[in-house]
């Protein structure tokens, strides 16, 4: 199974990607996570993309497409893309990749959210760099402030989760990524879920959608 997860920043893509990948045995491919890992290593790719990521701007298409193609080449089974594609050019590059590799997207699942809800959600988001667990000061605070419940690691706020940068990321999303919904809708494998519900309710809804496609 090959799934593309769409949704604005803060719609809960990362959280729901983990739920779906665990349940359906898919490899989670998050371009944001891949970039943050490269930035933490200060690799040549990390240095190249660091400014874009910190400022909430999109990394150039050719850089992202090359990274995703190399990553998917190494994935043995099904996958779920989280944070890619983000532009029409990326969606077309993905289609081209799939044609030459003999695959197709089974489902494009979009998490719908209102802008104000996103700003509040992201401003309260803290995550654990050690194990990837995500907390939210409003909806899911850690038991001890600043400490991961799961592994005891020190929680950090993403550099691009400040309000000004979140608003810029949302503008970029509106301009460049939202049009992808129409692109995929016309292909007939597009479904939308309300991302504004509790994470548990969203998880139930996305699981039901994927169950339906899987059956
Ligand atoms: P995310 O974790 O998905 O919110 O991504 C964090 C940042 O990584 C984005 O704000 C962009 O700077 C960069 N990024 C991630 N995925 C892409 C993509 N598909 N195209 C361009 N830039 C991306």
């Amino acid at each position: 199974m090959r799934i593309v997860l769409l949704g604005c920043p803060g719609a809960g893509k990362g959280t729901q990607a983990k739920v779906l990948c665990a349940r359906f045995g898919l490899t989670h491919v998050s371009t944001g996570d891949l970039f943050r890992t490269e930035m933490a290593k200060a690799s040549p790719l990390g240095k190249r993309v660091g400014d874009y990521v910190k400022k909430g701007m999109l990394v150039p298409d050719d850089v992202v497409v090359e990274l995703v193609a190399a990553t998917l080449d190494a994935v043995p089974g099904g996958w779920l893309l989280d944070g890619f594609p983000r532009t029409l050019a990326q969606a077309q590059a993905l289609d081209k990749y799939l044609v030459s590799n003999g695959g197709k997207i089974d489902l494009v699942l979009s998490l719908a959210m209102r802008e104000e809800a996103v700003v509040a959600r992201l401003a309260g988001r803290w995550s654990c760099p050690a194990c990837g667990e995500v907390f939210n000061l409003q909806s899911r605070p850690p038991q001890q402030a600043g400490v991961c419940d799961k592994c005891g690691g020190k929680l950090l706020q993403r550099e691009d989760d400040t309000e000004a940068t979140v608003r810029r990321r949302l503008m970029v999303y509106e301009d460049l990524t939202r049009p992808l919904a129409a692109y995929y809708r016309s292909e007939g494998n597009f479904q939308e879920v309300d991302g504004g519900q509790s994470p548990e309710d969203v998880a139930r809804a996305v699981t039901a959608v994927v169950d339906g496609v899987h059956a």
Side-chain angles (χ1 to χ4, degrees), residues 5-52:
L5 201 53
L6 289 181
C8 64
K13 295 190 297 298
T15 301
Q16 302 306 333
K18 284 180 196 142
V19 170
L20 292 175
C21 288
R23 161 124 189 184
F24 297 97
L26 307 172
T27 300
H28 180 191
V29 178
S30 155
T31 41
D33 284 350
L34 291 170
F35 288 140
R36 281 184 289 277
T37 304
E38 295 301 317
M39 286 160 64
K41 288 195 292 200
S43 69
L45 176 62
K47 286 184 189 152
R48 180 149 183 223
V49 304
D51 264 1
Y52 294 101

Side-chain angles (χ1 to χ4, degrees), residues 8 14 45-46 61 63 76 90 97 146 157 177:
C8 64
L45 176 62
D61 287 334
V63 177
Q90 292 179 16
Y97 172 89
Q157 193 170 31
T177 311

Side-chain angles (χ1 to χ4, degrees), residues 62-180:
D62 55 336
V63 177
V64 193
V65 166
E66 197 184 317
L67 175 69
V68 171
T71 306
L72 294 184
D73 281 346
V75 172
W79 41 252
L80 180 149
L81 287 174
D82 156 12
F84 179 94
R86 260 175 154 102
T87 64
L88 206 53
Q90 292 179 16
Q92 287 162 344
L94 176 61
D95 283 348
K96 221 164 135 191
Y97 172 89
L98 289 170
V99 167
S100 41
N101 287 273
K104 69 171 182 51
I105 300 169
D106 299 293
L107 171 68
V108 177
L109 185 54
S110 172
L111 301 177
M113 276 289 280
R114 281 187 12 261
E115 176 167 338
E116 281 316 308
V118 165
V119 175
R121 194 185 261 188
L122 289 188
R125 173 163 83 174
W126 288 74
S127 55
C128 176
C131 73
E133 200 67 4
V134 181
F135 297 86
N136 190 285
L137 299 188
Q138 281 85 41
S139 58
R140 194 191 168 216
Q143 282 170 1
Q144 195 185 334
V147 181
C148 177
D149 292 354
K150 205 165 148 194
C151 77
K154 186 173 180 294
L155 299 181
L156 291 179
Q157 193 170 31
R158 272 173 52 170
E159 243 178 291
D160 57 350
D161 275 349
T162 59
E163 183 168 340
T165 310
V166 167
R167 291 202 186 273
R168 175 175 309 136
R169 287 162 61 203
L170 284 169
M171 270 166 53
V172 169
Y173 173 81
E174 287 300 326
D175 283 353
L176 299 173
T177 311
R178 192 182 282 286
L180 291 185

